[in-house]
Amino acid sequence: MPQSTRSRSARTWPHWSLLLLAVSVVFILYVTLTPFDFRLAQLGARNLVKEFFRHSSDSQDLVSNVLLFLPIGLSWTAWQYRHQRQGSRQPVLWRLWVRSILFSFLLTLTVELLQIFLPTRYTSYRDLTTNTLGGAIGAGLYLVGLRYHLWHQVWHHLQRLWRSPRGLATLLVVWVICGCSVTLALHKGTELSNWARDYPLVIGNEPSGDRPWRGQISRLVISPQATSEQAAADWLTQPQQADLPGAIADYDFTTVPPYRSRVGHGTVIDWNQPLDQPTEQQTGLQTAAITQADRWLIAQGSPASLTEPIRQSSTFTLAAIVQAAEFEHEETARIISISQDPYFRNLTVGQKGDVLTIRLRTPLTGENGTYTSLGVPKVFVDSQPHALLVTYQAGQLTLYIDQVSHDSTLILRPEVTLFRYLLPWSFLQFNLTPKGMLAYRFLYYALFSLPLGFWVGRLLWLSHSKHLTYTLMVVGGLLIPCWLFAQFLSQAWLPNLLTWLVCLGLSGLTVGLVYWRSRWSATARLECLGRGEMGR
C-alpha cells in the first residue's frame, strides 16, 4: 500500500483504543441506567449516606462489576499512552495508571449518583470499589504488557501455534475438557444456595406493601424435600388433611390468629397490623385469613428456620389452598412470597388476572426471579378454592393445580445458565419462550462446536496425510468430543441424539470452511509466485 494511502486510512479511522473506550462508556451507561426512568429522590444528606451503605452485592455482581470496567482501564490507558507519544513526550507509566484509576472512579461515581434517581436501581459502596478495581486491573494489564513487551510475544506465540499441529492438537484437547467441565459446573446454576436468609414469609403482599392480593388461604405447607407425583396426588386429593413428607411448616388459617405451625419449628404468622376493637365481622375476616389492601399476613421472628433447610437441600415443596377474591391486577399480586420487596425475593406465588405465576430465585433466574418465571393462565377464573402444589428439584420446577394431570413444568438448563452469567443484564437476554430456549441452545452448541471445528479443520490442512489419518482426526476430533459434550449436557450415559447431531453438524461445517479456505489461500499464493517467476 502506498504511503499516502496508509496516511489517509490512518486519519479516517480512530485508534482502536479510542473506539473501545467510547463503546465501553456507552455500554456501561446503558447497562447501569436502564430503564432511564429518572425520578426526583426525596433524600436528605443523612438518608443518602445510609442508602449508599445499606445495600450489598452478591459474588456474581462483584465479579461482573470488575469485568465490566476492565475494558475502560485498558482502553483509557492505551489512548493516553498513544496521545503522549504523538506529542513527543515519554509517557510515565505509573502516572498513566493513577489517571486510569481516577477516571474509573469518577465514571462509576457518576453512575452511582444517577442511580439514586432510579427507583429500580440502588447505589452501593461495593459497586464503587469493584468498578474502580476493574479499571485499575485493566490499566495494569496494558502497562505490564508494554513494560515487558508481552503483547509482541503473545502475537508471536499465536502465529507459531497457528502453524503447529502439535500445539493445535493440545489446544483442541484442552477445549474439549473445558467445555465438558463447564457444562457439568453449570448444572449448579439451578441450586438454591443464593437464597437470602433474612427474607420473611409473607401472605397477601410484599413486606413493603406494594403488591396487595385479595383472597383467602386455608392452609400452607412447606417442605425442604421434593415430592413425588404419587405424594402430590395424595395431597391434592385431600388438601385439608394430607401431610407432606419432611414438612417444616404447616399452617391452618381457619383458626384464630396468631397462626402457629403444627410441625417443625416454624415461626408464628400474624397480621402486619392489629385491628382496633375488632367487630364480630372483622374477627371472622381474620379467622378466614382474607387479605386486604392495607393488611396482610407476615411471619414473625427470624425466617432462617424456614429458608436455611431449603438452601441446604436445594429442593422444596410448597402446597396451599387458595381462593381469589379479585381478578384484575395492574401488577402481579403476591399470594405467597418469601421476599424483601418487589425487586428481591427467594420465592413468590402470585396472581395477575387469571394467570398464576411463580418466581424462583436461583443463580440462573436472578435476585428477583424475573429472568425465568412460570405462568399458567386460566387458573383464577372463579371464586372457588384451588389446591396448589409446587415442587422443585435439580432444575425442574413443577406446578400441580387441583390434580396431578393439571401440571406445568419449567426446566432450567445449563445452556441458559451460561448466558445468565456471561450476560447478567436483562436487556441482553432472551426470554425463556420456546423460541428463546431454542436460541439459547443453538448459541451454546455453537460456542462449543465452532472452535472445535475450526481447530480440526486447521489440523487437517497441516497434516497433509492420507485418508486413514484424516479419518482418525475426524473421529477423534469431532465424533467423540461432540458425544462427550452431549453426554455431560444431558448428564446421562446415552446423550440426546439430536444434541449430538447438531454439534456434529456445526463443527463439521466449520471444518469444511476452514479446510477449503486454507486450500484456496495456498492455491492463490502459488499462483502469485508463478506469475512472479514468469515476469522475471
Side-chain angles (χ1 to χ4, degrees):
M1 182 184 293
Q3 182 67 29
S4 59
T5 304
R6 287 200 298 266
S7 300
R8 287 195 301 270
S9 178
R11 287 195 299 268
T12 302
W13 293 97
H15 191 253
W16 66 265
S17 59
L18 187 59
L19 289 174
L20 180 60
L21 178 63
V23 171
S24 300
V25 170
V26 173
F27 181 77
I28 287 173
L29 293 178
Y30 187 80
V31 165
T32 56
L33 299 180
T34 50
F36 303 109
D37 183 20
F38 293 98
R39 301 178 186 178
L40 185 62
Q42 301 294 332
L43 292 175
R46 180 178 298 180
N47 292 334
L48 182 60
V49 174
K50 290 182 178 180
E51 187 75 10
F52 188 69
F53 287 96
R54 183 170 70 92
H55 297 286
S56 60
S57 303
D58 58 25
S59 58
Q60 182 182 351
D61 290 334
L62 298 178
V63 173
S64 298
N65 290 339
V66 172
L67 296 179
L68 186 63
F69 269 69
L70 276 176
I72 288 289
L74 191 146
S75 58
W76 170 266
T77 308
W79 181 60
Q80 287 289 305
Y81 180 83
R82 181 174 181 273
H83 180 70
Q84 293 187 13
R85 288 290 299 270
Q86 286 182 339
S88 301
R89 290 185 298 169
Q90 184 62 31
V92 181
L93 299 187
W94 70 267
R95 290 182 180 177
L96 292 178
W97 188 63
V98 172
R99 289 176 183 176
S100 178
I101 295 176
L102 181 60
F103 178 78
S104 301
F105 175 81
L106 293 177
L107 178 60
T108 190
L109 180 62
T110 302
V111 169
E112 296 298 317
L113 292 177
L114 289 175
Q115 285 181 343
I116 296 174
F117 304 98
L118 292 171
T120 58
R121 299 281 185 170
Y122 60 86
T123 60
S124 173
Y125 71 96
R126 294 187 179 184
D127 292 345
L128 184 63
T129 303
T130 52
N131 289 343
T132 306
L133 177 63
I137 293 175
L141 290 176
Y142 182 78
L143 295 176
V144 169
L146 283 178
R147 176 66 177 81
Y148 296 101
H149 308 287
L150 297 180
W151 304 121
H152 177 74
Q153 296 179 27
V154 168
W155 179 248
H156 177 68
H157 286 304
L158 288 176
Q159 289 180 319
R160 290 182 58 187
L161 180 64
W162 181 245
R163 295 189 291 266
S164 170
R166 181 176 298 179
L168 287 174
T170 303
L171 194 60
L172 187 147
V173 173
V174 171
W175 180 256
V176 173
I177 294 175
C178 290
C180 295
S181 301
V182 169
T183 300
L184 185 61
L186 285 175
H187 281 283
K188 294 184 176 295
T190 60
E191 296 181 353
L192 306 180
S193 57
N194 67 334
W195 270 34
R197 295 182 175 89
D198 56 346
Y199 290 178
L201 172 64
V202 188
I203 297 173
N205 212 326
E206 292 283 0
S208 54
D210 297 290
R211 301 292 187 269
W213 176 74
R214 290 289 306 277
Q216 175 181 342
I217 295 184
S218 304
R219 189 185 181 193
L220 173 63
V221 187
I222 300 176
S223 170
Q225 300 179 12
T227 299
S228 65
E229 185 172 315
Q230 182 58 48
D234 295 339
W235 195 92
L236 293 170
T237 302
Q238 295 180 322
Q240 291 287 4
Q241 292 83 25
D243 297 326
L244 284 181
I248 57 175
D250 188 344
Y251 295 97
D252 181 7
F253 294 112
T254 61
T255 59
V256 177
Y259 306 102
R260 301 181 183 276
S261 175
R262 297 187 295 190
V263 297
H265 301 282
T267 57
V268 176
I269 293 180
D270 203 351
W271 294 95
N272 66 312
Q273 57 182 354
L275 287 175
D276 297 331
Q277 297 181 349
T279 63
E280 182 178 352
Q281 181 182 6
Q282 290 172 327
T283 303
L285 287 177
Q286 290 191 79
T287 305
I290 297 178
T291 60
Q292 304 171 41
D294 58 342
R295 298 179 66 251
W296 56 90
L297 296 168
I298 186 169
Q300 312 296 318
S302 173
S305 60
L306 182 65
T307 57
E308 191 60 31
I310 298 177
R311 278 174 52 97
Q312 296 296 329
S313 64
S314 287
T315 59
F316 71 86
T317 299
L318 182 147
I321 306 174
V322 303
Q323 180 178 351
E326 185 175 327
F327 305 98
E328 297 294 334
H329 304 91
E330 294 183 1
E331 301 285 349
T332 301
R334 309 310 196 223
I335 303 174
I336 303 167
S337 189
I338 304 176
S339 58
Q340 173 182 286
D341 52 43
Y343 310 108
F344 298 93
R345 75 195 60 263
N346 292 335
L347 172 68
T348 287
V349 178
Q351 175 195 356
K352 187 172 184 180
D354 66 346
V355 180
L356 174 67
T357 64
I358 299 178
R359 293 184 185 179
L360 176 66
R361 176 176 182 166
T362 68
L364 165 63
T365 59
E367 295 177 335
N368 198 16
T370 52
Y371 295 156
T372 306
S373 60
L374 178 62
V376 182
K378 298 182 180 180
V379 175
F380 300 105
V381 294
D382 51 41
S383 299
Q384 298 299 317
H386 295 279
L388 310 177
L389 190 144
V390 183
T391 185
Y392 178 81
Q393 183 180 29
Q396 179 169 317
L397 179 70
T398 304
L399 167 66
Y400 301 100
I401 304 174
D402 293 326
Q403 50 186 311
V404 291
S405 60
H406 297 165
D407 65 306
S408 301
T409 303
L410 175 66
I411 300 177
L412 308 179
R413 297 180 57 88
E415 53 261 46
V416 184
T417 311
L418 176 68
F419 292 101
R420 297 301 186 196
Y421 279 117
L422 295 181
L423 307 173
W425 307 283
S426 58
F427 76 98
L428 289 176
Q429 298 167 350
F430 300 104
N431 294 323
L432 285 190
T433 60
K435 292 182 179 179
M437 193 67 194
L438 183 63
Y440 272 124
R441 291 181 178 180
F442 183 80
L443 288 175
Y444 191 73
Y445 301 159
L447 187 62
F448 174 81
S449 303
L450 296 184
L452 186 71
F454 186 81
W455 289 316
V456 171
R458 181 62 181 174
L459 279 171
L460 289 175
W461 169 250
L462 292 176
S463 63
H464 297 294
S465 300
K466 297 182 179 180
H467 293 292
L468 178 61
T469 305
Y470 287 166
T471 303
L472 292 176
M473 283 188 180
V474 171
V475 172
L478 292 183
L479 296 178
I480 296 178
C482 290
W483 178 271
L484 289 174
F485 177 74
Q487 187 179 45
F488 276 84
L489 188 60
S490 61
Q491 289 191 320
W493 289 106
L494 293 176
N496 185 282
L497 182 60
L498 181 60
T499 301
W500 179 61
L501 291 177
V502 171
C503 294
L504 190 61
L506 289 173
S507 56
L509 179 62
T510 309
V511 167
L513 292 175
V514 172
Y515 181 82
W516 292 110
R517 177 66 176 83
S518 300
R519 185 171 182 177
W520 177 82
S521 299
T523 303
R525 285 196 298 270
L526 290 176
E527 291 179 354
C528 290
L529 290 175
R531 287 196 296 267
E533 292 292 336
M534 292 176 61
R536 285 196 295 271

